[in-house]
Amino acid sequence: MKNIFKITYLTILLLAVTHQVKAAEKVELLKTDWSFKGLFGKFDRGSLQRGYQVYTEVCASCHSMKYLSYRNLSEKGGPEFSIEQAKAIAASFEVTDGPNDEGEMFERPAKLSDKFVMPYGNVKEAQAANGGAYPPDMSVLAKARSGGVDYIYSVLLGYEDPPSGVTLDDGVYYNKYMYGNNIKMSQPLYDGSVEYNDGTEATKEQMAKDVATFLMWAAEPHLETRHKMGFKAILYLIILTILVYFSMKKIWSRIESEV
Amino acid sequence: MRDHEYVPKSKFGKWFNDRLPLLSLASHLTDYPTPKNLNYWWTFGGILTFCLIIQIVTGLTLAMHYIAHADLAFESVEHIMRDVNYGWLIRYVHANGASMFFLAVYIHIFRSLFYGSYKSPREIIWIIGIIIYLLMMASAFMGYVLPWGQMSFWGATVITNIFSAIPFVGEGIVTWLWGGYSVGDPTLTRFFTLHYLIPFLILGLVVLHIWALHIPGNNNPIGIDVKKPSKDTVPFHPYIVIKDGFALLMFTIVFAFFVFYAPNILGHADNYIEANPMVTPAHIVPEWYLLPFYAILRSVPDKLMGVVAMLSAIFVLAALPWLDTSKIRSAIFRPLYKQFYWILVIDVLILGYVGAMPAEGLYLLIARVATAYYFIHFLIILPVLGSKEKTIPLPLSITEPVLEDSSNSPTVKKNKI
């Protein structure tokens, strides 16, 4: 038995070391404190609203968010804009509807039930406008990259001059955290890129954090419900398990055997 | 079903039971004599039944909202996650349920290996179990394709391409499986159909698995035959029911943790990118539970031989009752086998690890050594061990575990593994 533990221990050690070596080759992502991590993690409402502002003013000109509707902006657990605010936001976008009774398509202001208006009609158009690179849809982006929000936060702040010896093609930028270090998106955030309505100072770091928070909510709109329900469910299960444990002890005490 | 002296009390009960002995069956199930020394490793049978039911129920609900079409599948999954009431919960339970199912089945299989549960007279139970395991892998793989993310698409491409290794007809078979010249809409719809079908086949096989189990009865940690019923056994209800229930609750706590706090940790980020036949992901990796076999597949340089090795790795398990020549079931009484057993466990874990890594350099070397050892264990060590190993004397019964002349021989109490 002792040998087995030794062997197991050595294997785990070996795997841990190889893992460390592998991890060391990767660039360590920038970390910031996210309010939505942990057992009771919740979104920071202010951050979500600011993040939406960064998204519309900076990202939305190229990046779509096709799975979100304007109504989501006022739903519980999200940025929680008031219904009026969400309606006003929606109305500032034009959508094509129809056909009407004359068989014509027509433009109208967006309603709460409409999906976020996309910046381009299709993928080809998006590629043509962006030097061949398709700006990915942002609806689930925070779940679609390993590293998640940390990765997004890092890429937004990872622009720097290429190291000597690295030459970049036209329209390609150097980013410390992007896979392969080449990115076709120019640096999107500079200090003061947006003017926050709530008076928060719009530093690069602040905007990156806000927009990453917004993207996390967009990818996982029911995160708060999930955390709340999870706590209750697990607490319930633990109590039930304890009760069942004692019932089991009681039942098994009728016979000479251990459980 | 064995003869049962059960007689229903009511007249109607008797009338009904004479025509369809459901009451006899219920009575058989509650009275079923079970060895009383079963440890917690034996609770995973019940846990697995629970997993199957959870997968079927959540799966049915998801199927009500899911659209099996290459252009709509990804969107419909997002619709489930966002707009269907508690759709996110149902989907996360289903997705993590697959992982929990495999976690439980691996524990269940390795419990069998440790205590020799596959040996006579339980070979049929074991073989049905292996078929269930094969179907589980098929179902899980096809289920992973349905969200139509990048890993779904490319995983499907890689795995179906395995069939192209078959000489002469391979390419034709792959085209036939795809329903076209690449993985596409016809592939998705047939995978959905089969993914819907297989769980019910598994359910049927589970019934056979339990039926076959109820003929000889449970094996037990000591691995000796027990008289049934006797003071060595307890009725299934309430003793085993409550114990299984307790273990199941512990299991659901772990399950709930994944669902509520780490629902995507066992998946791959790339599967949240919609399938794109024009872009290949950097690393195509299957789900964690298929990794050991993936490692075996890739450790053989020749494609056809790799496939043969991978399939043999599963089929060698089916032959296990005849490869293991020892008459002693439980590893508690087989000091050498016990050592080799743990080495095998570690070997499989290593295979799983290198399966997730790129097949190059040191990883490939480790994968090859581990693959070779896997087969050596089953094909050489086990048959030889049966005749060479000096085993520890068996106790006479569960309740009288200590033999007269063996002060150092293990007892039930000391060896609660």
Side-chain angles (χ1 to χ4, degrees):
Chain A
M1 211 50 203
K2 269 183 193 152
N3 286 342
I4 294 151
F5 287 128
K6 257 185 230 161
I7 295 168
T8 322
Y9 177 70
L10 285 175
T11 328
I12 292 169
L13 205 67
L14 180 80
L15 293 181
V17 168
T18 43
H19 204 78
Q20 283 297 313
V21 172
K22 217 181 107 290
E25 291 165 9
K26 270 194 191 164
V27 196
E28 186 86 7
L29 293 176
L30 293 177
K31 294 268 146 74
T32 183
D33 51 322
W34 304 108
S35 64
F36 49 83
K37 297 256 154 120
L39 290 191
F40 303 102
K42 274 185 190 171
F43 290 114
D44 171 352
R45 237 38 84 191
S47 187
L48 280 181
Q49 298 199 352
R50 290 193 298 274
Y52 174 70
Q53 193 184 343
V54 177
Y55 168 71
T56 14
E57 291 180 21
V58 182
C59 321
S61 54
C62 302
H63 290 276
S64 59
M65 256 185 156
K66 58 182 175 185
Y67 299 125
L68 274 85
S69 307
Y70 293 108
R71 68 182 157 81
N72 296 140
L73 293 171
S74 67
E75 276 164 9
K76 214 169 170 306
E80 296 188 4
F81 286 110
S82 67
I83 297 276
E84 286 67 36
Q85 281 173 313
K87 275 183 180 159
I89 289 170
S92 66
F93 296 91
E94 287 282 305
V95 292
T96 311
D97 201 349
N100 61 15
D101 293 343
E102 281 79 46
E104 311 273 333
M105 302 302 279
F106 60 93
E107 299 278 317
R108 62 160 173 80
K111 293 185 286 196
L112 287 180
S113 56
D114 285 311
K115 297 268 185 215
F116 277 23
V117 172
M118 303 220 272
Y120 302 105
N122 54 58
V123 174
K124 290 279 181 212
E125 189 191 329
Q127 283 174 329
N130 289 283
Y134 170 62
D137 182 86
M138 282 183 161
S139 314
V140 274
L141 197 67
K143 289 196 286 188
R145 298 289 181 274
S146 73
V149 272
D150 289 328
Y151 174 74
I152 291 172
Y153 180 72
S154 303
V155 165
L156 286 172
L157 299 174
Y159 286 85
E160 51 186 45
D161 292 329
S164 57
V166 176
T167 47
L168 297 170
D169 294 338
D170 240 13
V172 177
Y173 305 88
Y174 187 84
N175 191 305
K176 199 175 154 194
Y177 302 103
M178 182 80 186
Y179 298 125
N181 298 123
N182 287 352
I183 187 165
K184 285 207 165 180
M185 172 173 74
S186 61
Q187 182 173 339
L189 298 176
Y190 293 93
D191 289 340
S193 288
V194 300
E195 200 178 316
Y196 279 137
N197 300 331
D198 65 357
T200 308
E201 198 192 341
T203 60
K204 270 195 305 189
E205 288 77 15
Q206 184 65 43
M207 288 183 290
K209 189 177 172 182
D210 290 342
V211 81
T213 305
F214 177 72
L215 291 180
M216 186 68 231
W217 165 75
E220 204 56 35
H222 299 293
L223 180 139
E224 288 188 8
T225 323
R226 174 154 63 75
H227 284 178
K228 265 187 230 153
M229 191 192 281
F231 179 74
K232 283 185 214 155
I234 290 175
L235 189 68
Y236 173 84
L237 283 171
I238 289 173
I239 293 169
L240 185 61
T241 308
I242 293 169
L243 293 177
V244 169
Y245 174 78
F246 286 111
S247 317
M248 176 178 76
K249 280 284 178 199
K250 177 111 174 111
I251 288 172
W252 277 75
S253 69
R254 295 177 205 160
I255 50 166
E256 275 175 59
S257 192
E258 279 183 52
V259 184
Chain B
M1 207 59 37
R2 332 216 88 249
D3 307 42
H4 213 78
E5 291 122 45
Y6 173 75
V7 183
K9 285 192 190 79
S10 73
K11 223 175 166 185
F12 174 73
K14 194 178 175 313
W15 178 88
F16 187 88
N17 205 49
D18 286 345
R19 283 150 184 81
L20 180 66
L22 272 186
L23 292 167
S24 288
L25 176 66
S27 151
H28 162 82
L29 291 176
T30 50
D31 296 349
Y32 173 65
T34 316
K36 67 180 185 185
N37 62 336
L38 296 189
N39 56 34
Y40 283 101
W41 298 117
W42 258 267
T43 60
F44 281 86
I47 288 171
L48 282 160
T49 316
F50 168 80
C51 287
L52 178 63
I53 292 165
I54 288 288
Q55 289 306 86
I56 289 178
V57 172
T58 52
L60 283 172
T61 321
L62 289 172
M64 293 172 191
H65 301 279
Y66 171 78
I67 303 168
H69 187 285
D71 297 335
L72 303 171
F74 190 85
E75 195 184 335
S76 74
V77 172
E78 278 308 311
H79 165 68
I80 291 169
M81 292 297 290
R82 289 162 194 278
D83 297 329
V84 173
N85 288 334
Y86 298 104
W88 59 270
L89 177 62
I90 298 163
R91 173 164 177 261
Y92 278 155
V93 169
H94 195 73
N96 287 285
S99 283
M100 292 299 118
F101 206 156
F102 275 94
L103 176 69
V105 91
Y106 282 127
I107 295 174
H108 194 63
I109 291 172
F110 274 100
R111 186 270 290 156
S112 253
L113 292 181
F114 189 88
Y115 294 109
S117 301
Y118 48 84
K119 289 183 195 184
S120 172
R122 297 184 180 82
E123 301 95 323
I124 301 289
I125 312 173
W126 171 255
I127 289 169
I128 294 172
I130 296 296
I131 299 170
I132 293 173
Y133 173 53
L134 266 173
L135 286 176
M136 276 175 65
M137 288 198 284
S139 189
F141 158 66
M142 287 192 254
Y144 195 56
V145 174
L146 302 184
W148 212 239
Q150 274 288 67
M151 273 306 153
S152 302
F153 182 88
W154 290 99
T157 305
V158 170
I159 301 294
T160 45
N161 254 314
I162 286 174
F163 291 91
S164 71
I166 303 167
F168 310 116
V169 293
E171 295 293 337
I173 288 180
V174 172
T175 309
W176 176 70
L177 286 174
W178 286 341
Y181 294 102
S182 68
V183 173
D185 198 40
T187 327
L188 178 59
T189 47
R190 67 191 54 182
F191 275 21
F192 179 56
T193 311
L194 294 173
H195 183 70
Y196 209 124
L197 167 73
I198 291 175
F200 296 99
L201 298 182
I202 294 177
L203 188 64
L205 284 165
V206 166
V207 172
L208 292 185
H209 194 63
I210 296 171
W211 186 3
L213 169 71
H214 280 229
I215 302 303
N218 287 72
N219 184 27
N220 65 80
I222 307 295
I224 55 172
D225 292 324
V226 290
K227 280 195 206 76
K228 304 174 299 172
S230 71
K231 60 179 176 172
D232 285 350
T233 66
V234 289
F236 190 79
H237 184 78
Y239 297 97
I240 302 299
V241 168
I242 188 117
K243 191 169 170 180
D244 277 1
F246 170 65
L248 175 61
L249 281 167
M250 300 277 275
F251 183 81
T252 50
I253 292 173
V254 178
F255 196 154
F257 176 79
F258 277 104
V259 169
F260 291 107
Y261 292 108
N264 292 306
I265 204 164
L266 297 168
H268 198 291
D270 278 18
N271 225 28
Y272 279 107
I273 304 172
E274 193 169 1
N276 184 348
M278 301 300 170
V279 181
T280 321
H283 297 293
I284 301 173
V285 275
E287 291 280 75
W288 68 267
Y289 38 79
L290 303 175
L291 287 173
F293 297 104
Y294 195 53
I296 292 174
L297 172 75
R298 295 191 306 175
S299 68
V300 184
D302 180 67
K303 190 177 177 185
L304 177 61
M305 292 317 288
V307 175
V308 170
M310 183 180 68
L311 293 176
S312 311
I314 302 165
F315 288 119
V316 78
L317 290 173
L320 187 58
W322 297 276
L323 288 171
D324 185 349
T325 49
S326 174
K327 291 275 171 274
I328 309 297
R329 293 196 191 102
S330 175
I332 292 174
F333 305 99
R334 299 182 63 191
L336 274 177
Y337 173 73
K338 198 193 258 177
Q339 305 274 340
F340 284 116
Y341 168 85
W342 285 109
I343 297 172
L344 178 75
V345 172
I346 291 160
D347 186 62
V348 172
L349 290 177
I350 290 172
L351 277 173
Y353 177 74
V354 292
M357 296 295 139
E360 56 195 28
L362 185 62
Y363 292 128
L364 189 58
L365 182 70
I366 296 174
R368 286 184 175 156
V369 174
T371 301
Y373 183 79
Y374 181 90
F375 286 105
I376 289 170
H377 175 91
F378 288 109
L379 297 175
I380 299 172
I381 294 173
L382 286 189
V384 172
L385 217 52
S387 53
K388 300 279 182 227
E389 188 177 25
K390 196 176 174 304
T391 56
I392 298 167
L394 291 173
L396 296 171
S397 81
I398 292 171
T399 34
E400 299 154 44
V402 190
L403 288 175
E404 317 83 63
D405 61 342
S406 50
S407 51
N408 59 347
S409 82
T411 65
V412 194
K413 283 214 157 97
K414 274 185 206 154
N415 276 286
K416 287 199 124 187
I417 302 192

PDB file of all heavy atoms in Angstrom, chain B residues 32-52:
ATOM      1  N   TYR B  32     -34.187  -8.469  -2.067  1.00  0.00           N
ATOM      2  CA  TYR B  32     -32.938  -8.928  -2.690  1.00  0.00           C
ATOM      3  C   TYR B  32     -31.783  -8.968  -1.688  1.00  0.00           C
ATOM      4  O   TYR B  32     -31.349  -7.931  -1.178  1.00  0.00           O
ATOM      5  CB  TYR B  32     -32.621  -7.987  -3.858  1.00  0.00           C
ATOM      6  CG  TYR B  32     -31.289  -8.211  -4.510  1.00  0.00           C
ATOM      7  CD1 TYR B  32     -31.013  -9.402  -5.179  1.00  0.00           C
ATOM      8  CD2 TYR B  32     -30.298  -7.230  -4.468  1.00  0.00           C
ATOM      9  CE1 TYR B  32     -29.789  -9.606  -5.783  1.00  0.00           C
ATOM     10  CE2 TYR B  32     -29.078  -7.416  -5.078  1.00  0.00           C
ATOM     11  CZ  TYR B  32     -28.828  -8.610  -5.732  1.00  0.00           C
ATOM     12  OH  TYR B  32     -27.615  -8.807  -6.337  1.00  0.00           O
ATOM     13  N   PRO B  33     -31.294 -10.187  -1.367  1.00  0.00           N
ATOM     14  CA  PRO B  33     -30.259 -10.279  -0.340  1.00  0.00           C
ATOM     15  C   PRO B  33     -28.918  -9.749  -0.854  1.00  0.00           C
ATOM     16  O   PRO B  33     -28.433 -10.182  -1.892  1.00  0.00           O
ATOM     17  CB  PRO B  33     -30.177 -11.775  -0.042  1.00  0.00           C
ATOM     18  CG  PRO B  33     -30.964 -12.469  -1.093  1.00  0.00           C
ATOM     19  CD  PRO B  33     -31.648 -11.473  -1.951  1.00  0.00           C
ATOM     20  N   THR B  34     -28.364  -8.802  -0.128  1.00  0.00           N
ATOM     21  CA  THR B  34     -27.148  -8.120  -0.559  1.00  0.00           C
ATOM     22  C   THR B  34     -26.077  -8.335   0.504  1.00  0.00           C
ATOM     23  O   THR B  34     -26.378  -8.233   1.700  1.00  0.00           O
ATOM     24  CB  THR B  34     -27.435  -6.614  -0.682  1.00  0.00           C
ATOM     25  OG1 THR B  34     -28.695  -6.453  -1.329  1.00  0.00           O
ATOM     26  CG2 THR B  34     -26.372  -5.906  -1.481  1.00  0.00           C
ATOM     27  N   PRO B  35     -24.861  -8.644   0.110  1.00  0.00           N
ATOM     28  CA  PRO B  35     -23.806  -8.825   1.118  1.00  0.00           C
ATOM     29  C   PRO B  35     -23.710  -7.579   1.998  1.00  0.00           C
ATOM     30  O   PRO B  35     -23.764  -6.465   1.498  1.00  0.00           O
ATOM     31  CB  PRO B  35     -22.533  -8.991   0.278  1.00  0.00           C
ATOM     32  CG  PRO B  35     -23.006  -9.450  -1.059  1.00  0.00           C
ATOM     33  CD  PRO B  35     -24.346  -8.836  -1.255  1.00  0.00           C
ATOM     34  N   LYS B  36     -23.581  -7.785   3.290  1.00  0.00           N
ATOM     35  CA  LYS B  36     -23.667  -6.609   4.152  1.00  0.00           C
ATOM     36  C   LYS B  36     -22.356  -5.852   4.278  1.00  0.00           C
ATOM     37  O   LYS B  36     -22.319  -4.783   4.872  1.00  0.00           O
ATOM     38  CB  LYS B  36     -24.204  -6.999   5.523  1.00  0.00           C
ATOM     39  CG  LYS B  36     -23.321  -7.876   6.364  1.00  0.00           C
ATOM     40  CD  LYS B  36     -24.068  -8.117   7.671  1.00  0.00           C
ATOM     41  CE  LYS B  36     -23.249  -8.891   8.656  1.00  0.00           C
ATOM     42  NZ  LYS B  36     -24.041  -9.213   9.852  1.00  0.00           N
ATOM     43  N   ASN B  37     -21.292  -6.426   3.691  1.00  0.00           N
ATOM     44  CA  ASN B  37     -20.005  -5.735   3.806  1.00  0.00           C
ATOM     45  C   ASN B  37     -19.681  -4.870   2.588  1.00  0.00           C
ATOM     46  O   ASN B  37     -18.545  -4.467   2.396  1.00  0.00           O
ATOM     47  CB  ASN B  37     -18.888  -6.760   4.011  1.00  0.00           C
ATOM     48  CG  ASN B  37     -18.761  -7.701   2.822  1.00  0.00           C
ATOM     49  OD1 ASN B  37     -19.728  -7.895   2.087  1.00  0.00           O
ATOM     50  ND2 ASN B  37     -17.588  -8.274   2.636  1.00  0.00           N
ATOM     51  N   LEU B  38     -20.668  -4.602   1.741  1.00  0.00           N
ATOM     52  CA  LEU B  38     -20.399  -3.741   0.584  1.00  0.00           C
ATOM     53  C   LEU B  38     -19.913  -2.373   1.054  1.00  0.00           C
ATOM     54  O   LEU B  38     -20.506  -1.781   1.947  1.00  0.00           O
ATOM     55  CB  LEU B  38     -21.663  -3.549  -0.266  1.00  0.00           C
ATOM     56  CG  LEU B  38     -22.253  -4.789  -0.932  1.00  0.00           C
ATOM     57  CD1 LEU B  38     -23.354  -4.380  -1.904  1.00  0.00           C
ATOM     58  CD2 LEU B  38     -21.176  -5.587  -1.651  1.00  0.00           C
ATOM     59  N   ASN B  39     -18.850  -1.870   0.423  1.00  0.00           N
ATOM     60  CA  ASN B  39     -18.378  -0.543   0.806  1.00  0.00           C
ATOM     61  C   ASN B  39     -18.939   0.511  -0.157  1.00  0.00           C
ATOM     62  O   ASN B  39     -19.739   0.197  -1.042  1.00  0.00           O
ATOM     63  CB  ASN B  39     -16.843  -0.509   0.835  1.00  0.00           C
ATOM     64  CG  ASN B  39     -16.243  -0.938  -0.495  1.00  0.00           C
ATOM     65  OD1 ASN B  39     -16.818  -0.664  -1.545  1.00  0.00           O
ATOM     66  ND2 ASN B  39     -15.115  -1.621  -0.449  1.00  0.00           N
ATOM     67  N   TYR B  40     -18.486   1.743   0.010  1.00  0.00           N
ATOM     68  CA  TYR B  40     -19.087   2.825  -0.782  1.00  0.00           C
ATOM     69  C   TYR B  40     -18.758   2.750  -2.274  1.00  0.00           C
ATOM     70  O   TYR B  40     -19.435   3.377  -3.079  1.00  0.00           O
ATOM     71  CB  TYR B  40     -18.707   4.190  -0.211  1.00  0.00           C
ATOM     72  CG  TYR B  40     -19.525   4.494   1.014  1.00  0.00           C
ATOM     73  CD1 TYR B  40     -18.997   4.336   2.287  1.00  0.00           C
ATOM     74  CD2 TYR B  40     -20.853   4.876   0.878  1.00  0.00           C
ATOM     75  CE1 TYR B  40     -19.766   4.572   3.401  1.00  0.00           C
ATOM     76  CE2 TYR B  40     -21.637   5.114   1.984  1.00  0.00           C
ATOM     77  CZ  TYR B  40     -21.088   4.966   3.243  1.00  0.00           C
ATOM     78  OH  TYR B  40     -21.871   5.191   4.337  1.00  0.00           O
ATOM     79  N   TRP B  41     -17.731   1.994  -2.626  1.00  0.00           N
ATOM     80  CA  TRP B  41     -17.451   1.848  -4.071  1.00  0.00           C
ATOM     81  C   TRP B  41     -18.604   1.115  -4.757  1.00  0.00           C
ATOM     82  O   TRP B  41     -18.741   1.170  -5.956  1.00  0.00           O
ATOM     83  CB  TRP B  41     -16.141   1.079  -4.291  1.00  0.00           C
ATOM     84  CG  TRP B  41     -14.958   1.786  -3.708  1.00  0.00           C
ATOM     85  CD1 TRP B  41     -14.152   1.343  -2.705  1.00  0.00           C
ATOM     86  CD2 TRP B  41     -14.442   3.077  -4.068  1.00  0.00           C
ATOM     87  NE1 TRP B  41     -13.176   2.262  -2.414  1.00  0.00           N
ATOM     88  CE2 TRP B  41     -13.327   3.331  -3.236  1.00  0.00           C
ATOM     89  CE3 TRP B  41     -14.811   4.046  -5.013  1.00  0.00           C
ATOM     90  CZ2 TRP B  41     -12.575   4.511  -3.319  1.00  0.00           C
ATOM     91  CZ3 TRP B  41     -14.068   5.213  -5.092  1.00  0.00           C
ATOM     92  CH2 TRP B  41     -12.977   5.436  -4.264  1.00  0.00           C
ATOM     93  N   TRP B  42     -19.408   0.404  -3.966  1.00  0.00           N
ATOM     94  CA  TRP B  42     -20.540  -0.329  -4.542  1.00  0.00           C
ATOM     95  C   TRP B  42     -21.774   0.561  -4.770  1.00  0.00           C
ATOM     96  O   TRP B  42     -22.779   0.108  -5.269  1.00  0.00           O
ATOM     97  CB  TRP B  42     -20.919  -1.513  -3.647  1.00  0.00           C
ATOM     98  CG  TRP B  42     -20.402  -2.808  -4.190  1.00  0.00           C
ATOM     99  CD1 TRP B  42     -21.074  -3.663  -5.004  1.00  0.00           C
ATOM    100  CD2 TRP B  42     -19.113  -3.384  -3.979  1.00  0.00           C
ATOM    101  NE1 TRP B  42     -20.278  -4.733  -5.321  1.00  0.00           N
ATOM    102  CE2 TRP B  42     -19.064  -4.590  -4.701  1.00  0.00           C
ATOM    103  CE3 TRP B  42     -17.979  -2.997  -3.268  1.00  0.00           C
ATOM    104  CZ2 TRP B  42     -17.947  -5.417  -4.723  1.00  0.00           C
ATOM    105  CZ3 TRP B  42     -16.868  -3.816  -3.290  1.00  0.00           C
ATOM    106  CH2 TRP B  42     -16.861  -4.998  -4.006  1.00  0.00           C
ATOM    107  N   THR B  43     -21.699   1.808  -4.331  1.00  0.00           N
ATOM    108  CA  THR B  43     -22.878   2.655  -4.488  1.00  0.00           C
ATOM    109  C   THR B  43     -22.966   3.281  -5.876  1.00  0.00           C
ATOM    110  O   THR B  43     -23.947   3.946  -6.186  1.00  0.00           O
ATOM    111  CB  THR B  43     -22.870   3.788  -3.447  1.00  0.00           C
ATOM    112  OG1 THR B  43     -21.692   4.561  -3.639  1.00  0.00           O
ATOM    113  CG2 THR B  43     -22.924   3.250  -2.042  1.00  0.00           C
ATOM    114  N   PHE B  44     -21.927   3.072  -6.687  1.00  0.00           N
ATOM    115  CA  PHE B  44     -21.924   3.774  -7.971  1.00  0.00           C
ATOM    116  C   PHE B  44     -22.870   3.180  -9.001  1.00  0.00           C
ATOM    117  O   PHE B  44     -23.190   3.828  -9.992  1.00  0.00           O
ATOM    118  CB  PHE B  44     -20.490   3.892  -8.505  1.00  0.00           C
ATOM    119  CG  PHE B  44     -19.752   4.996  -7.809  1.00  0.00           C
ATOM    120  CD1 PHE B  44     -19.090   4.763  -6.610  1.00  0.00           C
ATOM    121  CD2 PHE B  44     -19.771   6.286  -8.307  1.00  0.00           C
ATOM    122  CE1 PHE B  44     -18.450   5.788  -5.935  1.00  0.00           C
ATOM    123  CE2 PHE B  44     -19.141   7.314  -7.645  1.00  0.00           C
ATOM    124  CZ  PHE B  44     -18.479   7.060  -6.457  1.00  0.00           C
ATOM    125  N   GLY B  45     -23.322   1.942  -8.780  1.00  0.00           N
ATOM    126  CA  GLY B  45     -24.345   1.383  -9.666  1.00  0.00           C
ATOM    127  C   GLY B  45     -25.611   2.214  -9.595  1.00  0.00           C
ATOM    128  O   GLY B  45     -26.171   2.627 -10.614  1.00  0.00           O
ATOM    129  N   GLY B  46     -26.042   2.490  -8.377  1.00  0.00           N
ATOM    130  CA  GLY B  46     -27.233   3.317  -8.180  1.00  0.00           C
ATOM    131  C   GLY B  46     -27.010   4.729  -8.702  1.00  0.00           C
ATOM    132  O   GLY B  46     -27.889   5.322  -9.333  1.00  0.00           O
ATOM    133  N   ILE B  47     -25.818   5.258  -8.443  1.00  0.00           N
ATOM    134  CA  ILE B  47     -25.494   6.609  -8.913  1.00  0.00           C
ATOM    135  C   ILE B  47     -25.574   6.673 -10.434  1.00  0.00           C
ATOM    136  O   ILE B  47     -26.085   7.640 -11.005  1.00  0.00           O
ATOM    137  CB  ILE B  47     -24.088   7.018  -8.398  1.00  0.00           C
ATOM    138  CG1 ILE B  47     -24.159   7.289  -6.897  1.00  0.00           C
ATOM    139  CG2 ILE B  47     -23.553   8.223  -9.152  1.00  0.00           C
ATOM    140  CD1 ILE B  47     -22.817   7.488  -6.222  1.00  0.00           C
ATOM    141  N   LEU B  48     -25.106   5.600 -11.089  1.00  0.00           N
ATOM    142  CA  LEU B  48     -25.137   5.591 -12.554  1.00  0.00           C
ATOM    143  C   LEU B  48     -26.566   5.543 -13.090  1.00  0.00           C
ATOM    144  O   LEU B  48     -26.880   6.187 -14.095  1.00  0.00           O
ATOM    145  CB  LEU B  48     -24.331   4.397 -13.082  1.00  0.00           C
ATOM    146  CG  LEU B  48     -22.824   4.616 -13.037  1.00  0.00           C
ATOM    147  CD1 LEU B  48     -22.075   3.307 -13.102  1.00  0.00           C
ATOM    148  CD2 LEU B  48     -22.397   5.525 -14.171  1.00  0.00           C
ATOM    149  N   THR B  49     -27.422   4.788 -12.418  1.00  0.00           N
ATOM    150  CA  THR B  49     -28.829   4.761 -12.827  1.00  0.00           C
ATOM    151  C   THR B  49     -29.413   6.165 -12.733  1.00  0.00           C
ATOM    152  O   THR B  49     -30.116   6.630 -13.635  1.00  0.00           O
ATOM    153  CB  THR B  49     -29.631   3.806 -11.922  1.00  0.00           C
ATOM    154  OG1 THR B  49     -28.870   2.612 -11.758  1.00  0.00           O
ATOM    155  CG2 THR B  49     -30.974   3.480 -12.518  1.00  0.00           C
ATOM    156  N   PHE B  50     -29.092   6.841 -11.633  1.00  0.00           N
ATOM    157  CA  PHE B  50     -29.530   8.224 -11.449  1.00  0.00           C
ATOM    158  C   PHE B  50     -29.017   9.106 -12.600  1.00  0.00           C
ATOM    159  O   PHE B  50     -29.773   9.886 -13.189  1.00  0.00           O
ATOM    160  CB  PHE B  50     -29.010   8.736 -10.097  1.00  0.00           C
ATOM    161  CG  PHE B  50     -29.137  10.219  -9.901  1.00  0.00           C
ATOM    162  CD1 PHE B  50     -30.343  10.779  -9.531  1.00  0.00           C
ATOM    163  CD2 PHE B  50     -28.041  11.057 -10.083  1.00  0.00           C
ATOM    164  CE1 PHE B  50     -30.463  12.152  -9.341  1.00  0.00           C
ATOM    165  CE2 PHE B  50     -28.150  12.429  -9.895  1.00  0.00           C
ATOM    166  CZ  PHE B  50     -29.364  12.970  -9.527  1.00  0.00           C
ATOM    167  N   CYS B  51     -27.735   8.961 -12.938  1.00  0.00           N
ATOM    168  CA  CYS B  51     -27.154   9.765 -14.022  1.00  0.00           C
ATOM    169  C   CYS B  51     -27.905   9.538 -15.327  1.00  0.00           C
ATOM    170  O   CYS B  51     -28.189  10.487 -16.064  1.00  0.00           O
ATOM    171  CB  CYS B  51     -25.683   9.407 -14.238  1.00  0.00           C
ATOM    172  SG  CYS B  51     -24.597   9.999 -12.946  1.00  0.00           S
ATOM    173  N   LEU B  52     -28.207   8.269 -15.620  1.00  0.00           N
ATOM    174  CA  LEU B  52     -28.899   7.956 -16.874  1.00  0.00           C
ATOM    175  C   LEU B  52     -30.265   8.629 -16.907  1.00  0.00           C
ATOM    176  O   LEU B  52     -30.650   9.237 -17.912  1.00  0.00           O
ATOM    177  CB  LEU B  52     -29.035   6.440 -17.039  1.00  0.00           C
ATOM    178  CG  LEU B  52     -29.790   5.973 -18.291  1.00  0.00           C
ATOM    179  CD1 LEU B  52     -29.050   6.402 -19.556  1.00  0.00           C
ATOM    180  CD2 LEU B  52     -29.976   4.458 -18.296  1.00  0.00           C
TER     181      LEU B  52
END
